[in-house]
Amino acid sequence: MKRPILIHPDPRLKKVCAPVTGITDDLRRLSQDMLETMYDAPGIGLAAPQVGVLTRLIVLDCVKGEGETPRPLAMFNPQIIAASDAVNTYEEGCLSIPDQYADVTRPADVTVRWIDRNGAEQEETFDKLWATCVQHEIDHLEGKLFIDYLSALKRQLITRKMVKLKRDRARDAL
Ligand SMILES: [Zn+2]
Protein backbone atom coordinates (compact mmCIF):
# COMPACT_ATOMS: atom_id res chain seq x y z
CA MET A 1 0.00 0.00 0.00
CA LYS A 2 1.36 3.38 -1.02
CA ARG A 3 1.77 5.98 1.71
CA PRO A 4 1.73 9.77 1.39
CA ILE A 5 5.20 11.36 1.43
CA LEU A 6 5.71 14.32 3.75
CA ILE A 7 6.99 17.50 2.13
CA HIS A 8 9.60 19.73 3.77
CA PRO A 9 9.21 21.77 5.94
CA ASP A 10 7.59 19.36 8.40
CA PRO A 11 8.64 18.91 12.04
CA ARG A 12 8.63 15.10 11.60
CA LEU A 13 11.45 15.41 9.06
CA LYS A 14 13.64 17.09 11.70
CA LYS A 15 13.37 14.41 14.39
CA VAL A 16 15.92 11.81 15.47
CA CYS A 17 14.23 8.43 14.87
CA ALA A 18 14.02 5.61 17.39
CA PRO A 19 15.83 2.28 16.88
CA VAL A 20 13.88 -0.85 16.11
CA THR A 21 14.00 -3.45 18.89
CA GLY A 22 12.58 -6.38 16.93
CA ILE A 23 11.29 -7.03 13.43
CA THR A 24 7.51 -7.33 13.64
CA ASP A 25 4.97 -8.02 10.89
CA ASP A 26 3.95 -4.36 11.13
CA LEU A 27 7.53 -3.28 10.41
CA ARG A 28 7.82 -5.73 7.51
CA ARG A 29 4.59 -4.33 6.08
CA LEU A 30 5.89 -0.78 6.55
CA SER A 31 9.08 -1.62 4.64
CA GLN A 32 7.00 -3.14 1.83
CA ASP A 33 4.78 -0.05 1.72
CA MET A 34 7.84 2.19 1.63
CA LEU A 35 9.36 0.28 -1.31
CA GLU A 36 6.08 0.52 -3.18
CA THR A 37 5.88 4.25 -2.44
CA MET A 38 9.51 4.75 -3.51
CA TYR A 39 9.18 2.87 -6.83
CA ASP A 40 5.93 4.67 -7.59
CA ALA A 41 7.36 8.16 -6.94
CA PRO A 42 9.79 7.21 -8.60
CA GLY A 43 12.81 7.42 -6.34
CA ILE A 44 15.90 5.41 -5.37
CA GLY A 45 15.58 5.74 -1.59
CA LEU A 46 13.06 6.51 1.14
CA ALA A 47 13.32 6.81 4.92
CA ALA A 48 10.51 6.03 7.39
CA PRO A 49 10.20 9.64 8.68
CA GLN A 50 9.29 10.66 5.12
CA VAL A 51 6.07 8.71 5.54
CA GLY A 52 5.62 10.05 9.06
CA VAL A 53 7.01 7.07 10.98
CA LEU A 54 9.84 8.05 13.34
CA THR A 55 11.61 4.68 13.23
CA ARG A 56 15.09 3.77 12.03
CA LEU A 57 14.14 2.15 8.73
CA ILE A 58 15.26 3.01 5.19
CA VAL A 59 14.63 1.40 1.83
CA LEU A 60 16.65 1.83 -1.34
CA ASP A 61 17.26 0.47 -4.80
CA CYS A 62 19.79 2.26 -6.97
CA VAL A 63 19.52 -0.14 -9.92
CA LYS A 64 18.19 2.12 -12.64
CA GLY A 65 19.15 0.60 -15.99
CA GLU A 66 16.54 -0.83 -18.36
CA GLY A 67 16.37 -4.60 -18.05
CA GLU A 68 18.58 -4.72 -14.96
CA THR A 69 17.39 -6.77 -12.03
CA PRO A 70 16.01 -4.57 -9.24
CA ARG A 71 17.66 -4.84 -5.85
CA PRO A 72 15.21 -3.66 -3.20
CA LEU A 73 16.90 -3.29 0.17
CA ALA A 74 15.20 -2.61 3.51
CA MET A 75 17.54 -1.68 6.35
CA PHE A 76 16.52 -1.50 10.00
CA ASN A 77 18.87 0.39 12.35
CA PRO A 78 21.38 1.11 9.57
CA GLN A 79 24.76 2.32 10.81
CA ILE A 80 27.78 3.56 8.91
CA ILE A 81 30.70 1.71 10.47
CA ALA A 82 33.41 2.90 8.05
CA ALA A 83 33.73 5.70 5.50
CA SER A 84 36.47 6.40 2.95
CA ASP A 85 38.57 9.56 2.95
CA ALA A 86 37.91 9.76 -0.77
CA VAL A 87 34.77 11.74 -1.58
CA ASN A 88 32.25 11.85 -4.37
CA THR A 89 29.94 14.64 -5.45
CA TYR A 90 26.47 13.84 -6.76
CA GLU A 91 23.54 16.01 -7.63
CA GLU A 92 21.04 14.97 -4.96
CA GLY A 93 17.31 15.29 -4.76
CA CYS A 94 14.73 14.13 -2.22
CA LEU A 95 11.15 12.90 -2.48
CA SER A 96 10.32 15.27 0.40
CA ILE A 97 11.77 18.22 -1.55
CA PRO A 98 10.28 17.72 -5.03
CA ASP A 99 12.09 19.07 -8.12
CA GLN A 100 15.00 20.60 -6.21
CA TYR A 101 18.52 19.34 -6.86
CA ALA A 102 21.96 20.33 -5.61
CA ASP A 103 25.50 18.96 -5.49
CA VAL A 104 26.43 17.30 -2.21
CA THR A 105 29.90 15.90 -1.42
CA ARG A 106 30.09 12.79 0.76
CA PRO A 107 32.50 9.89 1.41
CA ALA A 108 32.82 7.82 -1.78
CA ASP A 109 32.64 4.43 -0.04
CA VAL A 110 30.83 3.49 3.14
CA THR A 111 30.41 0.24 5.03
CA VAL A 112 26.94 -0.14 6.50
CA ARG A 113 25.67 -2.59 9.11
CA TRP A 114 21.94 -3.17 9.43
CA ILE A 115 19.20 -5.64 10.38
CA ASP A 116 17.30 -7.12 7.45
CA ARG A 117 13.61 -8.04 7.16
CA ASN A 118 14.33 -11.46 8.67
CA GLY A 119 16.06 -10.00 11.70
CA ALA A 120 19.53 -11.01 10.47
CA GLU A 121 22.51 -8.69 10.72
CA GLN A 122 24.00 -7.64 7.39
CA GLU A 123 27.10 -5.72 6.45
CA GLU A 124 28.13 -4.40 3.05
CA THR A 125 30.37 -1.78 1.51
CA PHE A 126 28.68 0.52 -0.99
CA ASP A 127 30.20 2.80 -3.61
CA LYS A 128 29.09 5.28 -6.26
CA LEU A 129 25.39 6.16 -6.25
CA TRP A 130 24.60 3.47 -3.67
CA ALA A 131 27.02 5.07 -1.20
CA THR A 132 25.51 8.51 -1.67
CA CYS A 133 21.96 7.20 -1.44
CA VAL A 134 22.48 5.16 1.73
CA GLN A 135 24.15 8.16 3.45
CA HIS A 136 21.32 10.46 2.34
CA GLU A 137 18.72 8.05 3.75
CA ILE A 138 20.56 7.46 7.04
CA ASP A 139 20.76 11.26 7.43
CA HIS A 140 16.94 11.31 7.38
CA LEU A 141 16.95 9.15 10.53
CA GLU A 142 18.92 11.94 12.25
CA GLY A 143 16.49 14.60 11.06
CA LYS A 144 18.97 15.81 8.49
CA LEU A 145 18.13 16.73 4.89
CA PHE A 146 20.46 17.17 1.91
CA ILE A 147 19.70 20.90 1.88
CA ASP A 148 21.36 21.10 5.32
CA TYR A 149 24.67 20.71 3.42
CA LEU A 150 23.96 23.82 1.34
CA SER A 151 24.47 27.47 2.22
CA ALA A 152 21.82 29.05 4.44
CA LEU A 153 20.76 31.21 1.51
CA LYS A 154 20.16 28.27 -0.85
CA ARG A 155 18.41 26.34 1.91
CA GLN A 156 16.05 29.25 2.63
CA LEU A 157 15.31 29.67 -1.06
CA ILE A 158 14.38 26.00 -1.43
CA THR A 159 12.37 26.01 1.81
CA ARG A 160 10.36 29.01 0.61
CA LYS A 161 9.58 27.20 -2.65
CA MET A 162 8.40 24.17 -0.65
CA VAL A 163 6.17 26.32 1.58
CA LYS A 164 4.59 27.72 -1.56
CA LEU A 165 4.25 24.24 -3.11
CA LYS A 166 2.46 22.97 0.01
CA ARG A 167 0.17 26.00 0.03
CA ASP A 168 -0.68 25.46 -3.65
CA ARG A 169 -1.33 21.75 -3.09
CA ALA A 170 -3.55 22.46 -0.08
CA ARG A 171 -5.54 24.94 -2.14
CA ASP A 172 -5.88 22.50 -5.05
CA ALA A 173 -7.20 19.90 -2.62
CA LEU A 174 -10.12 22.12 -1.60
ZN1 LIG B 1 15.57 12.35 1.05
Side-chain angles (χ1 to χ4, degrees):
M1 189 189 73
K2 257 177 49 176
R3 303 203 183 199
I5 299 175
L6 300 181
I7 303 298
H8 165 74
D10 187 296
R12 287 166 288 182
L13 294 172
K14 304 302 290 176
K15 295 275 197 296
V16 175
C17 297
V20 164
T21 50
I23 311 299
T24 60
D25 283 345
D26 276 352
L27 284 172
R28 267 187 280 268
R29 198 169 308 119
L30 172 63
S31 71
Q32 209 47 52
D33 286 355
M34 284 170 55
L35 280 165
E36 202 179 319
T37 305
M38 177 191 85
Y39 285 126
D40 181 75
I44 57 171
L46 189 67
Q50 292 181 277
V51 294
V53 181
L54 300 182
T55 295
R56 300 188 85 82
L57 164 61
I58 63 171
V59 297
L60 63 160
D61 183 353
C62 298
V63 176
K64 291 198 299 188
E66 283 281 319
E68 282 184 73
T69 311
R71 192 188 177 209
L73 279 178
M75 300 179 173
F76 296 93
N77 298 346
Q79 252 187 306
I80 292 168
I81 56 170
S84 64
D85 291 331
V87 293
N88 229 335
T89 301
Y90 271 99
E91 189 177 57
E92 294 190 24
C94 181
L95 294 177
S96 292
I97 311 174
D99 302 322
Q100 304 299 317
Y101 303 92
D103 280 349
V104 178
T105 299
R106 302 179 185 269
D109 307 283
V110 288
T111 304
V112 181
R113 186 179 292 160
W114 73 94
I115 310 289
D116 71 15
R117 292 159 48 89
N118 302 314
E121 192 174 276
Q122 302 285 346
E123 198 179 299
E124 188 174 330
T125 300
F126 296 95
D127 65 359
K128 303 194 178 85
L129 184 58
W130 283 90
T132 284
C133 183
V134 77
Q135 290 175 82
H136 173 120
E137 300 311 327
I138 290 174
D139 273 353
H140 272 297
L141 306 181
E142 297 297 326
K144 191 167 184 179
L145 303 171
F146 84 92
I147 56 171
D148 293 328
Y149 292 92
L150 311 181
S151 69
L153 192 70
K154 272 192 195 165
R155 187 164 56 245
Q156 283 157 13
L157 202 75
I158 290 175
T159 300
R160 271 202 296 273
K161 282 185 190 167
M162 291 302 106
V163 169
K164 183 177 182 304
L165 175 77
K166 287 170 76 164
R167 205 190 303 131
D168 291 349
R169 282 188 180 181
R171 198 177 44 218
D172 290 347
L174 290 178

